[in-house]
Amino acid sequence: MNRPYSFIVAAAATAALAPAAIAAPIPAGASLDASNPFAKVSSLPFHYPAFDKIKDEHFKPAFDAGMREQLREVDAIAASKAAPTFENTIVAMERSGQLLARVSVTFSNLQGANTNDALDAIDREMSPKLAAHHDAIFMNAKLWQRVKTVYDKRDSLKLDAESKHLVERYHRDFVRAGANLSSADKDKLKAYNGEIAGLQSQFAQNVLKEANASALVVDSRAELAGLPDADIDAAAAEARKRGLDGKYVIALVNTTIQPPMALMTNRATRERLMAASLARGSRGGEFDSRTLVQRLARLRAEKAALLGYPTYAAYSLEEETAKTPEAVNKLLGELAKPAVDNAKKEALEIQKVIDAEKGGFQVAAHDWAFYTDKVRQAKYAFDESQLKPYFELNNVVQNGVFFAANKEFGISFKERKDLPVYDPDVRTFDVFDANGKQLAIFILDYYARPNKQGGAWMNEYVTQSKLLGNMPVVANHLNIPKPAAGQPTLLTYDEVRTAFHEFGHALHGMFSNVTYPTFGGANTPRDFVEYPSQVNEMWATWPEVLANYAKHYQTGAPMPKALLDKVQASKKFNMGFITTEYLAASLLDQRWHQMTPAQVPADVTGFEAQALKDAGVDFAPVPPRYRTTYFSHSFSGGYSAGYYAYLWSEKLDADTVEWFKENGGLLRKNGDHFRATLLSRGGSADAMDLFRNFRGRDARIEPLLERRGLTGNQ
């Protein structure tokens, strides 16, 4: 999931998460023409964006006007002659920046899901300006003194718990943004922030453009043997789009391992695909990201040092539930050896199959997915391709994802066709609570496009807030290859699991029931935000749910119980690979951000190799899930020093799954408890307190170790 954090759009991120509920005229001097769709709040239900009216040329003037308007609002708060109070300072800031919020949240979401050269150019121009705008607010000395005054009196103000938490959040964010620095150091920090923002934007654009430029081109169908005919037809269609008639193009996804490797029988083609994947961003040319990585790592380290932190990781982790780099290193270090040991055992099993087939080669990274399926066939009489006919996209969504949510929470969904969308494949749904009242609008965008960032994520176009009167407009994005015209969309098991995962994030947004936009939806620490979404994955294979959606797309026949049993039995197989590739990327992320400025290396690829070796995860058949030069989580800003968060969250997730099982599973009473104690609370309280309120105790690690096959009993 991608998300902004911190108050950067009600000083640049908070209000950006929560567009305003009440249309107000643009103040004099804002210079935004009334014809610009951002000049007022959308009149569509729940302030759903008017995608049919929004043009590329509307963004830049709306950004400029929004920043001017918010600075006027903030300056008025700072210059007030009235004594600082919670209402006239903190709440007033929560209300500020609503025009900037509207344009920022829509732009950032579209630039991820449906970008073009014009939007990319706007992003490059506006990223440093927005960083400077953020600094102008958080380094406003008069405003800081008002915030500090309210903070110092917070215990005597008789605030409710959420309001007190908001005061503490603002104080923390101001300090971390440099409010206590000298004038000279504030100028340094502003320069760092502006350059970092621009480089992060450039890195993200490089990754997308390099993925398109690195797509594998082959000359014949024979080279793609093993892929379903529909996938080969789609590859031919992609080639025609690129003016390569008669050839076939396999587009690259963001991860190192490419999905077609699991099916391709031609080893040479697999090897070429792997080479193309691994070389991204480090093969020279205009999209090479090595210089960007070096500069970003150095700037982040210098910024952290200026703010009094030993490393950027120490700065970043302070506001997460992990708190320190040492805590993250301990978790990753404890799991690295058993994970690699498991991966090596799996490699031996794969090698046995290769040898039995007289392959005459040692297993390599480009062989792993293909032969994993053969091991499953030998060990469990299970072939991953047997599943796809039972995982038709609409059935998975309607009778799987939505069905489970209805059983667990009582919510229901009705598709609508009247709302504008930014791409014809995007679908929209009204979401209704158990009492029949509309709860949210859900946007579903599942197909891959060349102008769409890789991976899968949830975002919010409108975030719930009682203060602003907003209700949620939430989107899920995946990157499922679109089949040729007339062919069904059949998913892999991983794609099914991802659909459930991202919908877990959507539920976090839909169920939000907080007062302040800063705390709305999934605006929680990075190492907590993945937790509810990972919990939702459990329903993908829950027998009642699976039986409802896993039906053959042609015959409607349910998935045979024997096949289901094989799925369940084989779930832990390949956990060594899955854990090791993830740990390798997480450890790289930490190494890049646990350096002083002087320690930033000149050789990016050499540093990466040494870092993996030092951590004990340099096992060639299992490369990192992301190499440094296409590691968007780390170098586009969202999860820098935070990629460990998925595993940290999984500890909470695994323990929560045990709670559901102990309490009867997919029952309304369980969903209602989860919603009331945790999902509806957003970031309005300490994240671990929310977990304890739900679970009744701290999380235990044993369920995670058991799930990952790291207990020594597998």
Side-chain angles (χ1 to χ4, degrees):
M1 169 195 174
N2 295 358
R3 67 188 182 90
Y5 276 40
S6 199
F7 155 89
I8 262 196
V9 175
T14 326
L17 288 174
I22 303 170
I26 302 302
S31 304
L32 187 61
D33 191 277
S35 64
N36 190 304
F38 294 111
K40 61 187 179 197
V41 176
S42 168
S43 61
L44 294 172
F46 285 30
H47 311 308
Y48 179 97
F51 293 118
D52 56 335
K53 294 183 173 64
I54 296 169
K55 309 299 181 189
D56 294 346
E57 58 267 24
H58 293 139
F59 286 111
K60 187 177 174 182
F63 269 121
D64 290 337
M67 285 187 278
R68 287 194 298 270
E69 177 182 315
Q70 186 173 27
L71 286 179
R72 282 197 300 274
E73 293 167 340
V74 168
D75 286 345
I77 297 168
S80 173
K81 302 298 183 185
T85 67
F86 176 71
E87 287 292 332
N88 71 17
T89 302
I90 305 299
V91 174
M93 290 173 70
E94 284 288 278
R95 292 184 182 278
S96 75
Q98 295 186 25
L99 167 57
L100 183 56
R102 289 195 293 276
V103 61
S104 293
V105 72
T106 303
F107 177 82
S108 63
N109 292 342
L110 285 179
Q111 214 252 336
N114 200 50
T115 196
N116 57 44
D117 289 343
L119 295 186
D120 287 348
I122 294 168
D123 183 47
R124 288 192 296 271
E125 179 180 352
M126 299 310 303
S127 290
K129 289 184 178 180
L130 286 168
H133 175 75
H134 171 274
D135 289 340
I137 294 170
F138 279 94
M139 295 184 193
N140 183 315
K142 290 181 179 179
L143 182 61
W144 163 232
Q145 286 305 314
R146 293 183 70 87
V147 170
K148 189 174 184 302
T149 297
V150 176
Y151 174 80
D152 289 343
K153 298 190 302 183
R154 66 194 185 284
D155 290 332
S156 63
L157 296 179
K158 298 182 180 178
L159 299 173
D160 62 69
E162 184 181 345
S163 298
K164 184 179 178 183
H165 193 57
L166 183 67
V167 173
E168 293 167 346
R169 169 69 178 268
Y170 268 83
H171 181 269
R172 183 195 76 186
D173 287 352
F174 267 83
V175 171
R176 286 172 54 80
N180 282 328
L181 295 178
S182 67
S183 294
D185 283 346
K186 283 180 180 177
D187 288 341
K188 279 187 187 177
L189 185 58
K190 290 175 185 177
Y192 289 151
N193 288 340
E195 189 174 356
I196 287 169
L199 291 172
Q200 288 176 171
S201 172
Q202 187 178 347
F203 185 91
Q205 292 180 25
N206 275 16
V207 169
L208 178 58
K209 290 173 181 176
E210 177 74 326
N212 285 324
S214 299
L216 179 67
V217 180
V218 301
D219 296 326
S220 67
R221 292 183 77 93
E223 293 172 88
L224 300 180
L227 293 182
D229 286 341
D231 290 2
I232 298 176
D233 291 342
E238 180 62 28
R240 286 193 294 274
K241 275 191 208 171
R242 298 181 181 223
L244 298 171
D245 288 18
K247 296 186 183 293
Y248 302 82
V249 170
I250 301 294
L252 299 186
V253 300
N254 221 31
T255 52
T256 296
I257 300 297
Q258 301 295 310
M261 291 176 184
L263 299 173
M264 287 177 169
T265 58
N266 188 316
R267 188 170 191 250
T269 307
R270 295 200 306 269
E271 187 171 13
R272 287 180 59 204
L273 185 57
M274 175 60 76
S277 180
L278 289 170
R280 284 174 289 161
S282 60
R283 62 192 182 104
E286 62 178 314
F287 307 133
D288 193 301
S289 290
R290 287 173 291 187
T291 301
L292 293 178
V293 166
Q294 289 171 305
R295 186 64 181 153
L296 272 169
R298 184 179 296 279
L299 285 169
R300 287 172 176 173
E302 289 175 349
K303 172 180 175 176
L306 186 65
L307 289 167
Y309 296 86
T311 66
Y312 185 82
Y315 164 77
S316 179
L317 292 169
E318 180 185 51
E319 60 179 351
E320 309 303 333
T321 64
K323 301 299 183 190
T324 67
E326 291 75 21
V328 174
N329 292 345
K330 183 174 184 294
L331 175 68
L332 300 180
E334 286 177 345
L335 297 179
K337 187 178 186 304
V340 174
D341 286 347
N342 272 12
K344 288 180 176 178
K345 290 176 185 175
E346 292 165 0
L348 290 174
E349 293 194 59
I350 289 172
Q351 192 63 48
K352 288 177 185 176
V353 175
I354 294 171
D355 293 344
E357 294 181 350
K358 311 241 185 270
F361 56 85
Q362 292 295 306
V363 60
H366 52 273
D367 300 313
W368 194 285
F370 181 73
Y371 282 96
T372 289
D373 213 21
K374 287 179 173 281
V375 172
R376 282 201 179 101
Q377 290 178 46
K379 196 169 182 178
Y380 305 102
F382 168 62
D383 179 349
E384 183 80 27
S385 65
Q386 293 175 299
L387 297 178
K388 290 187 75 171
Y390 297 94
F391 292 155
E392 189 274 324
L393 175 60
N394 194 59
N395 223 17
V396 170
V397 172
Q398 300 274 10
N399 297 317
V401 174
F402 291 174
F403 172 79
N406 176 262
K407 287 289 185 181
E408 187 179 7
F409 303 109
I411 61 176
S412 57
F413 304 81
K414 183 178 180 180
E415 187 163 11
R416 57 188 305 169
K417 304 286 189 178
D418 59 319
L419 292 175
V421 292
Y422 53 83
D423 185 272
D425 290 328
V426 173
R427 302 168 69 183
T428 60
F429 296 82
D430 285 334
V431 186
F432 298 93
D433 216 336
N435 61 7
K437 184 177 179 181
Q438 188 170 356
L439 179 69
I441 293 175
F442 178 51
I443 299 171
L444 192 154
D445 178 3
Y446 272 4
Y447 287 120
R449 293 183 292 276
N451 65 339
K452 185 180 184 181
Q453 73 178 29
W457 69 97
M458 166 268 203
N459 56 29
E460 299 174 61
Y461 283 93
V462 183
T463 298
Q464 179 274 331
S465 163
K466 294 176 188 174
L467 178 71
L468 301 180
N470 285 345
M471 295 297 287
V473 177
V474 177
N476 271 180
H477 306 268
L478 273 67
N479 266 283
I480 298 166
K482 187 176 180 180
Q487 296 298 314
T489 304
L490 303 181
L491 308 187
T492 66
Y493 173 70
D494 279 347
E495 289 165 341
V496 172
R497 182 182 55 78
T498 300
F500 278 85
H501 175 100
E502 295 304 331
F503 192 72
H505 285 306
L507 290 171
H508 212 169
M510 292 174 188
F511 289 152
S512 178
N513 187 26
V514 302
T515 299
Y516 305 110
T518 287
F519 297 141
N523 196 15
T524 66
R526 281 175 298 193
D527 55 7
F528 189 82
V529 74
E530 296 298 336
Y531 151 55
S533 57
Q534 290 174 199
V535 170
N536 204 61
E537 292 178 28
M538 71 180 291
W539 307 123
T541 55
W542 194 259
E544 180 183 2
V545 179
L546 195 69
N548 199 63
Y549 77 85
K551 298 179 180 179
H552 198 283
Y553 77 100
Q554 290 174 315
T555 67
M559 180 184 288
K561 184 176 184 305
L563 183 55
L564 172 59
D565 291 343
K566 292 172 189 175
V567 173
Q568 302 287 17
S570 68
K571 276 175 72 175
K572 283 181 187 171
F573 181 76
N574 211 40
M575 267 298 166
F577 176 94
I578 291 169
T579 306
T580 300
E581 68 157 2
Y582 169 78
L583 285 173
S586 300
L587 287 158
L588 279 178
D589 178 42
Q590 290 302 313
R591 282 295 299 273
W592 277 110
H593 294 104
Q594 290 185 25
M595 290 187 284
T596 65
Q599 293 172 326
V600 174
D603 179 3
V604 170
T605 53
F607 174 82
E608 176 180 282
Q610 189 62 49
L612 296 174
K613 183 177 180 181
D614 291 346
V617 292
D618 57 332
F619 182 42
V622 186
R625 184 169 176 80
Y626 303 99
R627 290 193 69 193
T628 299
T629 51
Y630 49 89
F631 200 168
S632 294
H633 289 77
S634 191
F635 293 104
S636 296
Y639 276 67
S640 48
Y643 191 61
Y644 76 94
Y646 293 88
L647 190 60
W648 193 273
S649 295
E650 192 180 349
K651 176 181 174 181
L652 308 180
D653 151 40
D655 200 35
T656 297
V657 169
E658 291 304 305
W659 179 89
F660 271 95
K661 290 177 179 176
E662 291 164 4
N663 288 276
L666 190 60
L667 300 176
R668 270 292 304 280
K669 68 180 182 69
N670 292 339
D672 289 348
H673 176 65
F674 194 34
R675 175 178 177 176
T677 57
L678 197 145
L679 292 178
S680 65
R681 302 290 305 282
S684 64
D686 177 82
M688 296 312 297
D689 285 345
L690 293 179
F691 178 84
R692 284 185 282 270
N693 289 342
F694 160 71
R695 188 63 168 107
R697 58 165 172 77
D698 287 327
R700 294 174 182 156
I701 198 165
E702 288 77 12
L704 170 61
L705 298 177
E706 171 67 21
R707 173 190 290 183
R708 290 268 176 173
L710 303 178
T711 60
N713 298 320
Q714 306 311 314

